[in-house]
Amino acid sequence: MSEQARILIQEFFSGRIDRRQLLTRAAAAGVSVSALGAMMTTPWQAMGAAAQDGGATGDLVIAASGDVDTLDPQVSQLLLYGNMLRRTVFNTLVNYAADLTYVGELAESWENPDDTTWIFNLRPDVTFHNGDPFTAEDRGRRSILLRARCREGDSLSSRLTNVESYEVIDDRTISVKLAEIQADFLDGLTQISIISEAIAADIENNPIGSGPFRFVEWVPNDHISLEANPDYFIDGQPGVATLRFNILPEPQVSITNLKSGDVQGVLSIPVTQSTILEDDDSVNVINVATSSIPLFEMLGQNNETIRTNARVRQALAMCLDKNAIQQTVYAGGGIPKWSFVGTESWAYNDLPGYDYDPEAARAILEEEGAAGLEFTVLSIQGYPDGEQAATIWQAGLAEAGVKLNIELQELSVWLDNYLNHTYDVIWNTFPGFADPNYFVSLGLQPHLTDGWTNTEAAELAVSANQTLDQAARKEQYDRLQELFVEELPIMVIQETPVVSVTAPNVQNWGINSLSWVLLNDVTIDAE
Amino acid sequence: MARFALSRILQAIPTMFIVSMLVFGLIRMAPGDPAAMQMGREAAKPENLPRLEALREEMGLTKPIPVQYLYWIQDLAQGDFGDSLKNKRPTIDLFLQKLPATLELILGATLFALLLSVPLGILAAVRRGSMVDRVSMGFVSAGLAVPGFWLGLTLILLFSVRLKWLPASGYVPFSEDPIENLKRLILPSITLGTYLAATLMRFLRSDMIQVLGADYIRTARAKGLREKSVIMRHAMKNALVPVLTIAGLEIGALLGGAVIIEQLFGWSGVGWLTVQAIFDRDYPLVQTSVLFVTIGLIFVNLLTDIAYGFLNPRMRVS
């Protein structure tokens, strides 16, 4: 693997070049497609390690738009938690490569001798931050996964509920038996942080992992401080000696802090704010396309017409000007689409969906006896893209004779309505995901058990995750996406970009297509 | 004076009870579920409904509200303010951790407001129609009209981004680094104190103009007292009484304004903590914060009353 290929791959995944530029520049540099392909399956960590040749130096201060809710990695589901703690302080058995295939992190390799058995071979050179060695058996517990296994009420416990038993084969090998076939088992493991048994009971106060950074301090609503772990098992990581996250909720304030030098990076800012920074030499804008999807959920209990009539939902979809949303709300970034699966995913089915045509929509609504329909979209305060998308939809609907009301709700109120399905239509957003079952279980299943009465879809949603062969899975997801777009229980708007901003001397800042900001390789050039 | 203070403290007890009941009841009646907030997206999975229920039970949310209130009062009597539903830490620790930052900010803003408004307000009244008066009144108009958020951002852009004189944000405890603490206090204090300064200046000027036209001032001048003595010893003391009322009332408003200023300057204090707790439906933390803020406001009102007595002996007697 050449140095040129490595640099190109890093530029691609940090958003500095797109896929076409990657291939063109690779060809110009004499880098073969096979070399690029090989590097695409290399974990981010290893790529960063190759980039490093010195120790961790420099203090990196980053502005984060919000605080974490807890220090416990098995409880928090916040994207911010992942960026600030999960991937800095902790490791997982399995992680994603740059192309979102699975690579070992604490597991060196794995095999599944039968459909429900997974055997993991563990890394030998790992110690936790408190000095405890990482082994298959820890202080009399049967397996490391028991340590990771969440308590009953923990948010992430459902990822391991299918585990029937664990068996420690030797100090470096563990076998996991599942109750039934689960195609996304490895995907779930990317979210399960491995912790030391010694601190398991106190993890809420003392987050000890084995990651490239050690936890130093959390002052709620103020900052989180980390320091480099000198014993980290990947040479060259981390790239900075200390990492601090300052909690600054207002994007404009984060930007002024960046310009004043108080912080050297901002985790994320709204896309529309990034456009005014693009010509500013004092900052580096990193804009990456991700598979995050904003959407409108259509099967609320409050509007019988929309909930029960797929043709009405199709007519409403014809009034959504996705190009206008892409240009206005996302500054031309991202990819409009209709499927819930990421456009880069092996499971993506590129379906044409519905052209913007309010006149045709009006005709359909009249045929269905829904002329003059009026409904309300609930969106969340503090998420301007929801309100903006609804406003653009409102204009299209007005042309078809439909009146749309927009109601902004505080997050906790919105969540109540979302969980109870007490809405006409609700705006929502899902972070990027690698395995389609993430969305199927969280986004679709609640409707399949409530408003979306489609037996075939319900069966596919289950069977696709009980099929290990990827080609066979794709066939099932292809059909599920067809049904999804045809009957529109949920109307996906588009994939959205994520934007970070850094000082010019900050290098190797990565964002992957799941919207994860990757900080373990970041270095600061001496000015 | 001691008896007066004691009676005011005793009067405050029922007030605190009423406030605590209102806050306890209202936040629980507001839509929003702390258990769902904690589980987030996972709460949407149909198979997770029993876990959501179990979490509600664990948080003590399934009992009737009056029963929950009695439990809370019982715990309070034992000095237990409860743990935050969000991050499981004792709410009193979280509150006390943030309190110094907010007190410092309010003190800084009040000092800035007084140092600016008292001399300028008096000068504007004494030299009515002069350039000083016009500039002061210009400041009053601008100070009342300019939104704090805009003023703060402008100050950051000028003093932090362009001139690089002061840090843009962040709180450093005084005990850790006094110089850094004071440097970081300047911009938030000016931002928060500007509205108060403008308000006080307007009242002080108009009160001073009224007092300067009073008979006893004319008498003082007729006695041959120097103008400085007339203003400082006779006029100012009376003009300050209504200003004190305004200042006392405005402390509560400062606390409200502090929420925005704290977010703007990354000055992690009680205001931001409380607002975040309300958004998260973190009931115990909201209750602890509001209880202590209420005690604080009652204390400020008490101090204001005592200061009245100091400035005006007739009020002390009544």
Side-chain angles (χ1 to χ4, degrees):
Chain A
M1 286 185 255
S2 73
E3 178 66 8
Q4 282 166 313
R6 186 190 63 74
I7 291 168
L8 282 173
I9 293 282
Q10 284 205 326
E11 286 190 343
F12 172 62
F13 283 107
S14 64
R16 291 187 199 103
I17 58 173
D18 60 24
R19 195 166 28 170
R20 186 171 296 169
Q21 288 170 309
L22 169 73
L23 294 172
T24 312
R25 286 174 56 180
V31 177
S32 69
V33 174
S34 59
L36 278 180
M39 285 205 74
M40 296 283 263
T41 54
T42 303
W44 277 95
Q45 290 83 348
M47 286 171 59
Q52 307 287 322
D53 51 12
T57 54
D59 303 314
L60 181 64
V61 184
I62 294 173
S65 61
D67 201 359
V68 297
D69 46 353
T70 169
L71 294 176
D72 188 338
Q74 320 306 17
V75 170
S76 183
Q77 300 175 72
L78 298 177
L79 192 62
L80 273 170
Y81 183 94
N83 290 336
M84 295 198 274
L85 290 171
R86 192 185 309 287
R87 288 180 291 279
T88 52
V89 172
F90 300 99
N91 289 119
T92 49
L93 274 189
V94 178
N95 203 345
Y96 295 114
D99 64 349
L100 299 187
T101 54
Y102 303 109
V103 290
E105 192 165 270
L106 291 181
E108 275 185 327
S109 60
W110 59 84
E111 54 191 300
N112 52 322
D114 61 62
D115 286 352
T116 55
T117 306
W118 293 82
I119 297 173
F120 296 93
N121 302 304
L122 309 180
R123 286 187 73 110
D125 51 352
V126 180
T127 53
F128 291 106
H129 299 155
N130 62 350
D132 285 355
F134 165 71
T135 58
E137 190 158 16
D138 185 13
R139 292 167 199 255
R141 295 291 188 113
R142 285 183 302 138
S143 79
I144 52 138
L145 272 179
L146 274 182
R147 223 175 308 150
R149 189 171 196 177
C150 316
R151 293 156 303 195
E152 276 303 304
D154 288 350
S155 305
L156 294 172
S157 62
S158 60
R159 313 245 168 174
L160 296 173
T161 48
N162 189 31
V163 174
E164 192 175 78
S165 64
Y166 302 89
E167 186 189 349
V168 174
I169 296 171
D170 60 43
D171 220 24
R172 299 267 147 245
T173 318
I174 179 174
S175 172
V176 181
K177 182 75 180 167
L178 302 181
E180 54 187 44
I181 299 170
Q182 184 185 346
D184 73 341
F185 177 62
L186 287 182
D187 197 68
L189 291 186
T190 62
Q191 298 295 316
I192 303 293
S193 305
I194 305 297
I195 60 172
S196 164
E197 174 60 29
I199 54 90
D202 193 34
I203 188 72
E204 281 170 10
N205 302 308
N206 201 11
I208 290 179
S210 55
F213 289 97
R214 292 192 296 217
F215 174 79
V216 176
E217 179 184 43
W218 175 36
V219 178
N221 275 1
D222 191 73
H223 70 270
I224 292 174
S225 295
L226 311 176
E227 64 182 9
N229 170 13
D231 303 320
Y232 192 52
F233 58 87
I234 294 177
D235 289 339
Q237 276 199 5
V240 290
T242 67
L243 181 56
R244 178 182 162 119
F245 298 95
N246 285 352
I247 314 301
L248 296 171
E250 286 297 328
Q252 193 53 49
V253 175
S254 297
I255 292 167
T256 51
N257 272 259
L258 180 67
K259 289 187 158 200
S260 69
D262 287 63
V263 302
Q264 289 85 48
V266 182
L267 281 180
S268 70
I269 60 167
V271 184
T272 43
Q273 295 214 15
S274 71
T275 51
I276 53 173
L277 294 171
E278 271 164 9
D279 297 327
D280 188 336
D281 292 337
S282 68
V283 298
N284 183 22
V285 178
I286 302 163
N287 184 327
V288 176
T290 76
S291 55
S292 303
I293 41 172
L295 41 87
F296 291 109
E297 302 203 16
M298 314 280 276
L299 298 181
Q301 288 175 351
N302 293 1
N303 194 306
E304 192 70 8
T305 309
I306 298 175
R307 189 163 63 87
T308 56
N309 192 330
R311 283 207 81 211
V312 169
R313 295 198 292 273
Q314 289 170 358
L316 299 181
M318 290 175 186
C319 301
L320 186 70
D321 188 347
K322 292 191 175 187
N323 289 328
I325 291 176
Q326 185 190 29
Q327 294 307 318
T328 311
V329 184
Y330 300 107
I335 303 168
K337 64 171 188 177
W338 294 89
S339 165
F340 58 87
V341 177
T343 53
E344 300 283 333
S345 167
W346 53 268
Y348 180 60
N349 186 0
D350 188 8
L351 296 160
Y354 307 90
D355 290 334
Y356 177 67
D357 191 348
E359 280 310 311
R362 182 191 285 270
I364 293 172
L365 290 170
E366 280 169 6
E367 279 172 31
E368 297 299 318
L373 181 70
E374 178 174 349
F375 67 98
T376 300
V377 164
L378 303 185
S379 189
I380 317 169
Q381 283 171 4
Y383 289 72
D385 44 340
E387 186 184 6
Q388 289 163 0
T391 304
I392 290 169
W393 196 18
Q394 190 179 44
L397 288 166
E399 284 186 45
V402 176
K403 185 174 182 202
L404 171 62
N405 307 304
I406 301 167
E407 190 178 328
L408 298 182
Q409 297 188 329
E410 195 191 305
L411 179 61
S412 57
V413 180
W414 173 92
L415 187 61
D416 246 13
N417 287 314
Y418 172 68
L419 295 176
N420 296 317
H421 297 186
T422 43
Y423 53 81
D424 296 343
V425 172
I426 198 164
W427 180 87
N428 193 1
T429 181
F430 273 75
F433 48 89
D435 193 284
N437 191 57
Y438 174 85
F439 183 86
V440 171
S441 63
L442 279 174
L444 272 188
Q445 284 291 9
H447 292 304
L448 284 165
T449 53
D450 184 9
W452 192 21
T453 46
N454 185 312
T455 320
E456 187 186 2
E459 284 170 4
L460 285 168
V462 174
S463 66
N465 200 38
Q466 292 179 338
T467 306
L468 289 181
D469 178 63
Q470 196 174 82
R473 275 191 97 195
K474 177 161 171 49
E475 270 180 36
Q476 295 179 58
Y477 280 127
D478 277 352
R479 178 63 186 144
L480 185 58
Q481 288 168 83
E482 283 169 13
L483 293 171
F484 177 84
V485 175
E486 192 181 314
E487 301 198 4
L488 287 171
I490 294 171
M491 181 166 61
V492 172
I493 300 172
Q494 70 159 85
E495 291 186 339
T496 59
V498 166
V499 181
S500 286
V501 202
T502 69
N505 62 334
V506 172
Q507 306 296 331
N508 302 323
W509 183 288
I511 304 175
N512 73 8
S513 63
L514 305 180
S515 332
W516 295 4
V517 179
L518 304 161
L519 300 169
N520 296 341
D521 297 324
V522 172
T523 57
I524 305 177
D525 290 346
E527 288 183 275
Chain B
M1 186 61 77
R3 188 186 292 173
F4 167 72
L6 187 68
S7 75
R8 290 302 306 269
I9 289 168
L10 288 175
Q11 283 170 23
I13 292 173
T15 310
M16 278 163 49
F17 257 110
I18 292 167
V19 169
S20 72
M21 274 194 280
L22 279 176
V23 171
F24 196 95
L26 286 176
I27 184 115
R28 277 166 176 75
M29 281 188 268
D33 177 0
M37 285 294 282
Q38 181 161 317
M39 279 187 71
R41 215 177 279 283
E42 290 282 330
K45 284 184 178 174
E47 68 267 26
N48 282 346
L49 275 176
R51 288 176 49 217
L52 187 62
E53 273 308 310
L55 196 56
R56 285 190 189 122
E57 180 80 34
E58 188 189 316
M59 288 176 163
L61 305 173
T62 48
K63 297 183 180 73
I65 293 177
V67 176
Q68 291 180 42
Y69 181 74
L70 288 176
Y71 275 125
W72 181 58
I73 292 290
Q74 190 182 334
D75 290 343
L76 275 189
Q78 296 166 16
D80 180 2
F81 290 84
D83 291 346
S84 159
L85 295 179
K86 185 180 174 187
N87 56 35
K88 310 288 186 291
R89 295 182 173 195
T91 55
I92 187 69
D93 290 357
L94 289 168
F95 181 83
L96 292 178
Q97 189 181 39
K98 304 293 178 189
L99 187 61
T102 299
L103 287 181
E104 208 181 319
L105 180 59
I106 289 178
L107 190 69
T110 310
L111 267 179
F112 167 76
L114 288 174
L115 287 174
L116 194 70
S117 63
V118 171
L120 278 180
I122 292 169
L123 263 178
V126 172
R127 299 184 187 168
R128 234 171 121 185
S130 69
M131 182 59 81
V132 177
D133 187 22
R134 272 181 258 159
V135 169
S136 300
M137 287 306 97
F139 172 80
V140 167
S141 303
L144 293 175
V146 166
F149 191 84
W150 179 87
L151 177 65
L153 266 182
T154 307
L155 290 175
I156 292 173
L157 284 171
L158 181 62
F159 292 104
S160 305
V161 177
R162 189 166 288 266
L163 300 172
K164 306 231 182 258
W165 288 353
L166 295 167
S169 71
Y171 171 70
V172 175
F174 188 81
S175 54
E176 248 175 52
D177 187 342
I179 303 293
E180 193 61 29
N181 171 277
L182 293 174
K183 272 168 70 180
R184 286 169 189 270
L185 180 64
I186 293 172
L187 295 185
S189 296
I190 293 173
T191 309
L192 184 60
T194 296
Y195 184 86
L196 180 61
T199 309
L200 292 181
M201 203 183 289
R202 191 177 63 172
F203 276 97
L204 190 58
R205 178 183 175 274
S206 61
D207 286 344
M208 197 72 182
I209 287 170
Q210 207 176 1
V211 168
L212 285 173
D215 289 347
Y216 73 95
I217 295 293
R218 208 174 315 137
T219 307
R221 281 180 177 141
K223 279 193 325 188
L225 284 179
R226 283 186 304 158
E227 187 64 14
K228 188 179 170 188
S229 180
V230 169
I231 291 165
M232 300 303 285
R233 286 189 56 196
H234 295 273
M236 198 174 90
K237 209 171 170 184
N238 274 342
L240 276 179
V241 174
V243 170
L244 204 64
T245 313
I246 303 296
L249 290 172
E250 286 293 322
I251 296 289
L254 277 187
L255 204 61
V259 175
I260 295 163
I261 304 305
E262 284 172 5
Q263 290 201 27
L264 186 58
F265 288 96
W267 190 271
S268 178
V270 168
W272 186 1
L273 179 80
T274 310
V275 167
Q276 196 59 52
I278 293 169
F279 285 147
D280 293 334
R281 297 294 187 269
D282 192 341
Y283 300 155
L285 187 51
V286 174
Q287 287 153 206
T288 302
S289 297
V290 173
L291 188 71
F292 277 94
V293 168
T294 308
I295 292 171
L297 290 176
I298 288 170
F299 182 69
V300 167
N301 282 338
L302 181 67
L303 283 183
T304 310
D305 286 347
I306 292 170
Y308 275 165
F310 173 74
L311 287 171
N312 189 342
R314 278 181 304 175
M315 287 185 187
R316 215 179 307 163
V317 172
S318 67

Coordinates of all heavy atoms in Angstrom, one line a residue, chain A residues 296 303 373-379 387 390-391 393-394 397 402-408 424-426:
Chain A
F296 N -40.1 12.2 7.2 CA -41.4 12.4 7.7 C -42.1 11.1 8.0 O -42.2 10.3 7.0 CB -42.2 13.2 6.8 CG -41.8 14.6 6.6 CD1 -41.2 15.1 5.4 CD2 -42.0 15.6 7.6 CE1 -40.8 16.4 5.2 CE2 -41.5 16.9 7.5 CZ -40.9 17.3 6.3
N303 N -54.4 11.1 12.2 CA -55.1 11.4 10.9 C -55.4 10.2 10.2 O -54.5 9.5 9.6 CB -54.1 12.3 10.1 CG -54.9 12.9 8.9 OD1 -55.5 12.2 8.1 ND2 -54.8 14.3 8.8
L373 N -57.5 18.5 2.1 CA -56.9 17.8 3.3 C -56.1 18.9 4.2 O -55.5 19.7 3.6 CB -56.0 16.7 2.9 CG -55.3 15.9 4.0 CD1 -56.3 15.0 4.7 CD2 -54.2 15.0 3.4
E374 N -56.2 18.7 5.5 CA -55.4 19.6 6.3 C -54.7 18.7 7.4 O -55.4 17.8 8.0 CB -56.3 20.6 7.0 CG -55.5 21.5 8.0 CD -56.3 22.7 8.6 OE1 -57.4 22.9 8.1 OE2 -55.8 23.3 9.5
F375 N -53.4 18.9 7.6 CA -52.8 18.1 8.7 C -51.6 18.9 9.2 O -51.2 20.0 8.7 CB -52.3 16.7 8.1 CG -51.2 16.8 7.1 CD1 -49.9 16.6 7.4 CD2 -51.5 17.0 5.7 CE1 -48.9 16.7 6.5 CE2 -50.5 17.1 4.8 CZ -49.2 16.9 5.2
T376 N -51.1 18.3 10.3 CA -50.0 19.1 11.1 C -48.7 18.2 11.1 O -48.8 17.0 11.3 CB -50.5 19.3 12.5 OG1 -51.6 20.2 12.5 CG2 -49.4 20.1 13.3
V377 N -47.6 18.8 10.9 CA -46.3 18.2 11.1 C -45.7 18.6 12.4 O -45.6 19.8 12.6 CB -45.4 18.5 9.9 CG1 -43.9 18.2 10.3 CG2 -45.7 17.8 8.6
L378 N -45.3 17.7 13.2 CA -44.6 18.0 14.4 C -43.1 18.0 14.1 O -42.6 17.0 13.6 CB -44.9 17.0 15.5 CG -46.3 16.8 16.0 CD1 -46.4 15.9 17.2 CD2 -47.0 18.2 16.3
S379 N -42.4 19.0 14.5 CA -40.9 19.0 14.4 C -40.3 19.4 15.7 O -41.1 19.7 16.7 CB -40.5 20.0 13.3 OG -39.1 19.8 13.0
E387 N -37.9 22.2 10.4 CA -38.9 23.2 10.2 C -38.8 23.7 8.7 O -39.8 24.0 8.0 CB -38.7 24.4 11.2 CG -39.7 25.5 11.0 CD -39.4 26.7 11.9 OE1 -38.3 26.7 12.5 OE2 -40.3 27.6 12.0
A390 N -40.2 21.2 6.3 CA -41.7 21.2 6.4 C -42.2 22.5 5.7 O -43.3 22.4 5.1 CB -42.1 21.2 7.9
T391 N -41.5 23.6 5.8 CA -42.0 24.8 5.2 C -42.0 24.7 3.7 O -42.9 25.1 3.0 CB -41.1 26.0 5.6 OG1 -41.1 26.1 7.0 CG2 -41.6 27.3 5.1
W393 N -42.3 21.8 2.1 CA -43.4 20.9 1.8 C -44.7 21.6 1.8 O -45.6 21.4 1.0 CB -43.3 19.8 2.8 CG -44.1 18.6 2.4 CD1 -44.6 18.2 1.2 CD2 -44.6 17.5 3.3 NE1 -45.3 17.0 1.2 CE2 -45.3 16.6 2.5 CE3 -44.4 17.3 4.7 CZ2 -45.8 15.4 3.1 CZ3 -45.0 16.1 5.2 CH2 -45.7 15.2 4.4
Q394 N -44.8 22.5 2.8 CA -46.1 23.3 3.0 C -46.4 24.1 1.7 O -47.6 24.1 1.2 CB -45.8 24.3 4.1 CG -47.0 25.1 4.6 CD -46.6 26.0 5.7 OE1 -45.6 26.7 5.7 NE2 -47.4 26.0 6.8
L397 N -47.6 21.6 -1.0 CA -48.9 21.1 -0.6 C -50.0 22.1 -0.9 O -51.1 21.8 -1.3 CB -49.0 20.7 0.9 CG -48.2 19.4 1.2 CD1 -48.0 19.3 2.7 CD2 -48.9 18.1 0.7
V402 N -53.7 21.4 -0.3 CA -53.6 20.8 1.0 C -53.1 21.8 2.0 O -52.1 22.5 1.7 CB -52.7 19.6 1.0 CG1 -52.5 19.0 2.4 CG2 -53.3 18.5 0.1
K403 N -53.6 21.9 3.2 CA -53.1 22.9 4.2 C -52.2 22.1 5.2 O -52.7 21.2 5.8 CB -54.3 23.6 4.9 CG -53.7 24.6 5.8 CD -54.8 25.5 6.5 CE -54.1 26.5 7.3 NZ -55.0 27.0 8.4
L404 N -51.0 22.6 5.3 CA -50.1 21.9 6.3 C -49.8 22.9 7.4 O -49.4 24.1 7.1 CB -48.8 21.5 5.6 CG -47.6 21.1 6.5 CD1 -48.0 19.9 7.3 CD2 -46.4 20.8 5.7
N405 N -50.0 22.5 8.6 CA -49.6 23.3 9.8 C -48.3 22.7 10.3 O -48.1 21.5 10.3 CB -50.7 23.2 10.9 CG -52.0 23.6 10.3 OD1 -52.2 24.7 9.7 ND2 -53.0 22.7 10.4
I406 N -47.4 23.6 10.8 CA -46.2 23.2 11.3 C -46.1 23.5 12.8 O -46.4 24.7 13.2 CB -45.0 23.8 10.6 CG1 -45.0 23.5 9.1 CG2 -43.6 23.4 11.2 CD1 -44.1 24.4 8.3
E407 N -45.8 22.5 13.6 CA -45.8 22.8 15.1 C -44.4 22.3 15.6 O -44.0 21.2 15.4 CB -46.9 22.0 15.8 CG -47.0 22.3 17.2 CD -48.2 21.6 17.9 OE1 -49.2 21.2 17.2 OE2 -48.1 21.3 19.1
L408 N -43.7 23.3 16.2 CA -42.4 22.9 16.8 C -42.6 22.6 18.3 O -43.3 23.3 19.0 CB -41.4 24.1 16.7 CG -41.1 24.6 15.3 CD1 -40.1 25.8 15.4 CD2 -40.5 23.5 14.5
D424 N -50.2 13.6 13.3 CA -50.6 13.4 11.9 C -49.4 12.8 11.2 O -49.4 11.8 10.6 CB -51.1 14.6 11.3 CG -52.3 15.2 11.9 OD1 -53.0 14.4 12.7 OD2 -52.7 16.4 11.7
V425 N -48.4 13.7 11.1 CA -47.1 13.4 10.5 C -46.0 14.0 11.4 O -46.2 15.1 12.0 CB -47.0 14.1 9.1 CG1 -45.6 13.9 8.5 CG2 -48.0 13.4 8.1
I426 N -44.9 13.3 11.5 CA -43.9 13.8 12.4 C -42.5 13.8 11.7 O -42.2 12.9 10.9 CB -43.8 13.0 13.7 CG1 -43.1 13.7 14.8 CG2 -43.2 11.6 13.5 CD1 -43.3 13.1 16.2

